Structures are given as structure tokens and as C-alpha cells.
Amino acid sequence: EPTAVIEGIGADDERAAAARSKLYQLLAEWVRFPWQDFHTVAVAGELAPAAAECIAALPYELGVAEHLAALAEVEPDYDEFQSAYVGLFDVGMGGPPCPLYGGTWGGDRQKAMEEALRFYRFFGLTPSTDERDLPDHLGTELEFLHFLAFKEVEALHAGLDAGSYRRAARDFLLRHPAKWMPRALAKLDKVGAPPFWRGLLSLVAAFCR
């Protein structure tokens, strides 16, 4: 019966969209400044299983086993762990070697931030006034993609067209994280980033791709 087939496809689509939404949410949290509670969870080996659970529900292969394994290579000393993040992504002579602000990789950062803001505002969103929540920060971009996937789940569950959310996610990915992350990964290789941070950013890049 046609209705049953559609319902079956819908359930699969909902599961996949929910998995994407959850994975974007996790990654958005993980690329932020690493407070001690995050380090504790990372040392306990809880990150890779959480990501793998989402990845298993996706209808395509990511090929990220190596990146997930790297999430277990955590510096046991919190101060060293935090310092590595700061030295890679936050500070440095003339700026950090690998900033997590997409606009810094494209030439015209103001334009990149304004374009990201237009995406957010179209869906009724504004970045937090928290200083770290600039519109082109990777964490902010991933939070937006989490929101779009979440809205996709809601639409599918209600039997509505989710195409607008999918198209927005595709366009945003192409214009923002999927566009600049390959350059960021190349820079992490060049500076010899610790396996954990290289693995995490590689996971994010593979998922966005």
C-alpha cells in the first residue's frame, strides 16, 4: 500500500535527520573552549561512542574510524590539553595558527560574517551576545546546522515538506564550513597538531563534506 511505503521512508528519513541533528550538536559543543568537564568526558573515552552512535544511523558511510580512534588520544593533564587548544585555535603571534572562525580563511571576514548572519536571521535566529559566539565561529555554524536538521525532523514527523531546511543546510555548508575546513586541516598538519585535535577537526570536516 503506497501510504505504508511513504511512512516507512519517512521513519528512515526522520532517524537520519535526527542523527545528523545530534551529531552537529555534539560537534558544536566539542569544538568550543575545552573546560575541565569536557576533558573529564574525553579522558573517560565517551566521545567516540557518542559520535559513532549517530554515525551508525546515517544512510551513508563517513569513513572516519581513524578520526574516532584519535578522540581516545587525550592528553591526561588538563592544563596541557587546554593549552594545546588555545595555542592552535585561540592565540599566537599574529593570530592562532588555525583559527576556528571561517571568515579568517576567505579574505573578507566581514562579508563572511554578514552572510552567515543572513542565514541565521532568515530562520529567526541571532548569535548569543557571548563574545565567543561570533557568527563565523565553527561552533556557531555547527549549532545552526543542528537547528536546521532538528527542524527537518519536526517537518518530517508532521508530514510536511522538509526541503527548505535541507536546501538551506546544503547551501550553508557549501558557503561556510565545508568551504574553509580543508584549509584549516592542512594548517593543522603543517603545525603538527596533537592527534586529538587533528582527529576532532577531521571528523567535523568529513561530516560536513
Side-chain angles (χ1 to χ4, degrees):
E1 189 175 307
T3 305
V5 172
I6 292 169
E7 285 176 355
I9 294 172
D12 289 342
D13 283 353
E14 282 180 47
R15 273 194 296 274
R20 292 196 340 267
S21 179
K22 181 62 178 177
L23 187 52
Y24 278 128
Q25 182 182 41
L26 291 174
L27 295 174
E29 295 170 0
W30 297 353
V31 301
R32 298 288 193 192
F33 181 84
W35 298 104
Q36 193 143 15
D37 56 349
F38 174 71
H39 180 250
T40 300
V41 170
V43 168
E46 297 178 19
L47 302 186
E53 184 178 1
C54 298
I55 291 167
L58 298 176
Y60 43 79
E61 293 292 328
L62 283 191
V64 293
E66 179 184 350
H67 308 327
L68 291 175
L71 297 182
E73 297 187 49
V74 185
E75 167 57 55
D77 181 79
Y78 171 65
D79 289 336
E80 292 290 332
F81 182 73
Q82 179 202 94
S83 293
Y85 178 96
V86 171
L88 286 170
F89 308 121
D90 272 358
V91 299
M93 292 294 289
C98 185
L100 296 182
Y101 296 96
T104 62
W105 296 96
D108 189 339
R109 187 176 179 197
Q110 189 63 35
K111 182 179 178 181
M113 288 196 290
E114 289 171 355
E115 184 181 78
L117 277 172
R118 281 197 293 273
F119 272 97
Y120 305 156
R121 287 170 178 160
F122 182 82
F123 289 95
L125 303 173
T126 54
S128 163
T129 54
D130 187 323
E131 186 178 343
R132 69 179 185 170
D133 280 323
L134 292 171
D136 64 334
H137 189 277
L138 179 58
T140 308
E141 295 183 349
L142 294 173
E143 283 177 4
F144 177 59
L145 290 160
H146 153 63
F147 167 82
L148 291 177
F150 183 82
K151 297 298 289 185
E152 182 183 339
V153 175
E154 286 189 332
L156 290 168
H157 192 69
L160 302 174
D161 180 21
S164 62
Y165 300 114
R166 291 173 176 162
R167 288 190 293 273
R170 178 198 62 198
D171 292 347
F172 187 78
L173 281 162
L174 288 171
R175 292 174 178 273
H176 293 281
K179 181 179 180 180
W180 63 265
M181 287 208 71
R183 278 174 279 176
L185 289 180
K187 192 60 179 287
L188 285 182
D189 282 339
K190 188 174 181 181
V191 300
F196 177 88
W197 297 112
R198 178 65 171 77
L200 176 57
L201 269 290
S202 297
L203 174 61
V204 175
F207 182 43
C208 288
R209 184 176 65 245

